Amino acid sequence: MYRYDEFDHGFVTERTDQFRDQVRRRLAGELTEEEFKPLRLMNGLYLQLHAYMLRVAIPYGTLNGRQMRKLAHIARTYDKGYGHFTTRQNIQFNWPKLSDVPAILEELAEVEMHAIQTSGNCIRNVTADHFAGAAADEIADPRPYAEILRQWSSLHPEFSFLPRKFKIAITGAPNDRAAVQVHDIGLQLTRNEAGEVGFTVFVGGGLGRTPMIGRKVRDFLPEEDLLAYSEAVLRVYNRYGRRDNKYKARIKILVHETGLEELKADIEAEFEKIRFGVLRLPDEEVRRIEAYFAPPPLQVLPTVSEAVEARKAADAAFAQFVAHNLNPHRVPGHVSVTISMKPIGGIPGDASDGQMEVIADLAERYGQDEIRISHEQNVILPHVRLDDLPALFDKLVEHGLAEGNAGLITDIIACPGMDYCALATARSIPVAQEISERFGSAERQAEIGELKIKISGCINACGHHHVGHIGILGLEKKGEEFYQITLGGSANENTSIGEIVGRGFSSETVVDAIETLVDTYLSLRSGKEETFLEAYRRLGEDPFKEALYGTA
């Protein structure tokens, strides 16, 4: 894991001191809210519906037990005893007092964390595959490159006030678990015929009001050109991105309006000007950063654990957990464990201070002191011995963290919606809770199989509804909440944007509509192995639309 050097410590301390003075001036009335707004946004502080919200960066989703304990302490001391993990691998605290925020930032700096650029029209937290450094299918660990991008983008003087926010994601495996094609820049690690590491580059993806899939601009970008090419993309966007209309200001609109070939030509021309300059990555610097992410020394062990097999035979809940919440590890005898933050009837992504403390304990005892946050709002222990699974599971059960539902219908992504957000037009949380309760039985979830539901409380799509197998968008109509349904979305290597199936449903009927869709799928699938998404892609929308609305 990356550790701050002297520059990092000085950088974060100076930024915290600056913001403490800015908060003092705001509280003293020396700054108006309009003057204060850009300053607080660059430090991750929003003014939401009821209170301030502080968004803390978890760069590329990686942290350790000490850092998780600090987040628990902040939740307990400065908030209402919980935090909310987000789809950008961040954590949000929903109730801090403005006067306490400098102290929070100071405490975060003690454990090498910060809230810089988690908001505002800048390059946001760089996200990565949550199984990075552990996954059996990985070509290379993407986190060293994510760290290099973090260092390059932090307070970049040219890109601190872009036309709109800018998001970068990177994955190290052919199976995309970082949703790279719905980001402004998406990077997929690959190897050329010579075995050299490089990147497939996508530009112009994004959700929100106008969802678009990123367009491939490079099949293979050499490792040493990562920063120069990224800078070229940002320069072209910063130069030509629309500032006259915030709804058309993202790079995806620039790609659409300019045309891919013309934009590629502009990027390549800029790249050629700078590729052999100061941004060219020296091999020794990449290897130096890479050393921070050296894998833990894991012993090769049997691929089958007698303890696990015996427990599976005797304990159905444990068997379900093993079936759904484990990911294959590159070292035999180990797995990556997903700790679901989606208890039946709970709020997706929320974790109490006590749960955060428990996760820190488990990471230190069973997981090589590494923790990951996924963009699906779950927590991962990436390096766990198979033989330790029964003891780990017992601790999870004890603290309400043992839901074996990763990838199933109750593993719902949801934004905070109108319960918290000033931009939201409908609630997300109650809909997620009701769906979870409706489909909560283990037997029913197992029968349905893989099905990703994603819910957003407004058109900004923070819940990624466009790429849900079933997506739900909450809107307001004549003072009432109603919910539009999309089908067929996906955020993996075969990314697709869901299609709107018809008119929306009220808050009272939307969960019944979801049940109708699920029942239709179960009745039409070609076998138990065919997932909802596969069935939808084979059948098209017509049978689902007819089930919802009847024949015309």
Side-chain angles (χ1 to χ4, degrees):
M1 287 178 57
Y2 184 71
R3 296 289 184 271
Y4 280 12
D5 60 18
E6 289 181 7
F7 174 82
D8 293 311
H9 280 292
F11 171 78
V12 174
T13 299
E14 182 181 354
R15 186 57 178 253
T16 302
D17 289 343
Q18 288 174 350
F19 192 58
R20 180 182 291 105
D21 184 60
Q22 290 161 358
V23 169
R24 179 196 63 76
R25 290 159 62 202
R26 172 70 185 113
L27 291 171
E30 297 170 19
L31 291 174
T32 65
E33 170 54 29
E34 200 60 31
E35 292 168 330
F36 183 57
K37 182 178 179 180
L39 303 175
R40 64 171 168 79
L41 287 178
M42 290 296 285
N43 289 278
L45 190 64
Y46 283 79
L47 185 56
Q48 291 211 300
L49 201 58
H50 308 293
Y52 283 102
M53 177 271 281
L54 180 66
R55 181 181 293 149
V56 177
I58 303 175
Y60 34 87
T62 296
L63 70 166
N64 59 26
R66 179 168 172 252
Q67 291 169 321
M68 184 66 90
R69 279 201 185 85
K70 178 61 76 172
L71 297 178
H73 164 75
I74 289 169
R76 189 167 48 246
T77 306
Y78 301 104
D79 207 279
K80 295 189 176 183
Y82 69 95
H84 176 74
F85 293 113
T86 79
T87 55
R88 285 217 65 71
Q89 299 177 315
N90 296 312
I91 186 170
Q92 295 181 178
F93 295 107
N94 287 301
W95 302 99
K97 296 177 182 175
L98 177 57
S99 57
D100 286 336
V101 173
I104 296 172
L105 297 180
E106 193 170 61
E107 294 215 33
L108 287 169
E110 292 172 4
V111 294
E112 304 182 349
M113 297 185 78
H114 63 78
I116 297 167
Q117 292 184 199
T118 58
S119 174
N121 293 340
C122 56
I123 301 170
R124 300 287 187 89
N125 188 36
V126 178
T127 57
D129 181 359
H130 41 275
F131 298 129
D137 61 345
E138 190 171 78
I139 293 167
D141 188 341
R143 293 175 303 156
Y145 304 102
E147 171 57 26
I148 289 166
L149 288 166
R150 182 193 73 83
Q151 293 187 20
W152 160 77
S153 64
S154 295
L155 267 61
H156 193 303
E158 197 174 336
F159 307 138
S160 290
F161 295 96
L162 294 165
R164 275 296 261 130
K165 57 189 174 182
F166 200 93
K167 299 177 180 180
I168 302 173
I170 180 169
T171 185
N175 298 300
D176 179 13
R177 292 176 289 263
V180 299
Q181 292 182 53
V182 290
H183 282 76
D184 298 290
I185 294 178
L187 300 165
Q188 180 129 25
L189 275 159
T190 187
R191 290 187 187 272
N192 63 13
E193 292 180 358
E196 298 165 324
V197 169
F199 309 90
T200 301
V201 183
F202 299 89
V203 169
L207 302 178
R209 185 176 298 269
T210 312
M212 293 186 183
I213 297 171
R215 307 289 296 276
K216 188 189 293 186
V217 292
R218 273 283 182 130
D219 283 308
F220 185 84
L221 178 74
E223 176 186 78
E224 62 267 23
D225 292 327
L226 173 63
L227 291 187
Y229 199 83
S230 299
E231 181 118 347
V233 173
L234 265 296
R235 281 187 175 181
V236 170
Y237 169 54
N238 203 24
R239 187 181 307 146
Y240 298 118
R242 293 186 59 173
R243 296 175 184 269
D244 62 318
N245 184 337
K246 70 176 183 178
Y247 302 118
K248 296 184 177 181
R250 298 289 294 271
I251 193 173
K252 62 188 178 184
I253 303 299
L254 183 61
V255 173
H256 176 71
E257 292 187 343
T258 304
L260 182 64
E261 293 309 313
E262 183 177 342
L263 193 73
K264 275 176 64 175
D266 288 341
I267 293 169
E268 292 293 334
E270 187 65 39
F271 174 55
E272 287 302 320
K273 292 177 187 176
I274 62 176
R275 69 179 302 187
F276 298 111
V278 295
L279 290 174
R280 193 169 180 83
L281 276 176
D283 182 71
E284 60 271 19
E285 178 63 11
V286 178
R287 305 289 83 85
R288 184 185 75 83
I289 298 291
E290 209 169 51
Y292 282 105
F293 299 94
L298 301 177
Q299 182 184 359
V300 174
L301 298 169
T303 56
V304 176
S305 165
E306 293 181 7
V308 168
E309 296 307 308
R311 180 68 178 271
K312 280 166 60 179
D315 184 344
F318 179 77
Q320 179 175 341
F321 185 85
V322 168
H324 299 294
N325 289 44
L326 306 186
N327 196 69
H329 200 284
R330 65 196 315 162
V331 179
H334 296 77
V335 289
S336 296
V337 177
T338 296
I339 301 174
S340 173
M341 307 313 295
K342 320 288 178 60
I344 302 304
I347 299 174
D350 275 13
S352 70
D353 58 330
Q355 288 175 326
M356 287 188 245
E357 295 274 10
V358 168
I359 291 168
D361 291 343
L362 295 175
E364 290 168 350
R365 184 167 182 180
Y366 299 113
Q368 302 291 325
D369 196 23
E370 285 198 37
I371 302 165
R372 308 286 166 75
I373 308 303
S374 76
H375 81 274
E376 296 175 324
Q377 300 176 288
N378 290 319
V379 177
I380 293 28
L381 301 183
H383 310 292
V384 177
R385 294 194 327 160
L386 273 173
D387 287 342
D388 287 334
L389 281 177
L392 171 64
F393 181 75
D394 288 340
K395 286 291 185 183
L396 293 174
V397 169
E398 187 179 334
H399 296 280
L401 291 167
E403 202 65 56
N405 65 346
L408 299 181
I409 190 169
T410 60
D411 184 12
I412 299 165
I413 288 178
C415 72
M418 207 162 61
D419 286 305
Y420 295 96
C421 183
L423 300 176
T425 47
R427 293 169 297 166
S428 301
I429 291 170
V431 176
Q433 290 173 305
E434 191 178 342
I435 292 171
S436 176
E437 289 166 347
R438 180 77 63 94
F439 295 97
S441 80
E443 295 76 18
R444 194 168 193 199
Q445 291 188 74
E447 179 191 19
I448 296 166
E450 181 187 353
L451 205 174
K452 297 181 183 291
I453 293 180
K454 305 184 182 187
I455 308 173
S456 300
C458 79
I459 199 69
N460 289 302
C462 294
H464 292 189
H465 68 278
H466 293 296
V467 289
H469 301 168
I470 298 176
I472 303 173
L473 168 62
L475 298 166
E476 181 272 333
K477 186 176 183 180
K478 297 179 180 177
E480 300 290 332
E481 295 168 292
F482 77 109
Y483 296 86
Q484 188 180 79
I485 292 175
T486 55
L487 298 178
S490 175
N492 62 11
E493 61 279 5
N494 298 308
T495 298
S496 56
I497 301 297
E499 301 171 87
I500 300 170
V501 291
R503 63 183 182 276
F505 294 85
S506 69
S507 55
E508 290 78 21
T509 60
V510 63
V511 178
D512 292 334
I514 301 305
E515 187 160 33
T516 297
L517 291 169
V518 171
D519 289 343
T520 303
Y521 151 65
L522 292 175
S523 69
L524 296 175
R525 67 183 177 183
S526 62
K528 289 198 69 173
E529 299 305 310
E530 186 176 44
T531 66
F532 179 93
L533 183 60
E534 289 167 343
Y536 179 80
R537 286 176 172 172
R538 175 175 61 85
L539 296 164
E541 71 170 20
D542 288 349
F544 297 95
K545 193 169 185 176
E546 184 176 329
L548 285 176
Y549 305 108
T551 55

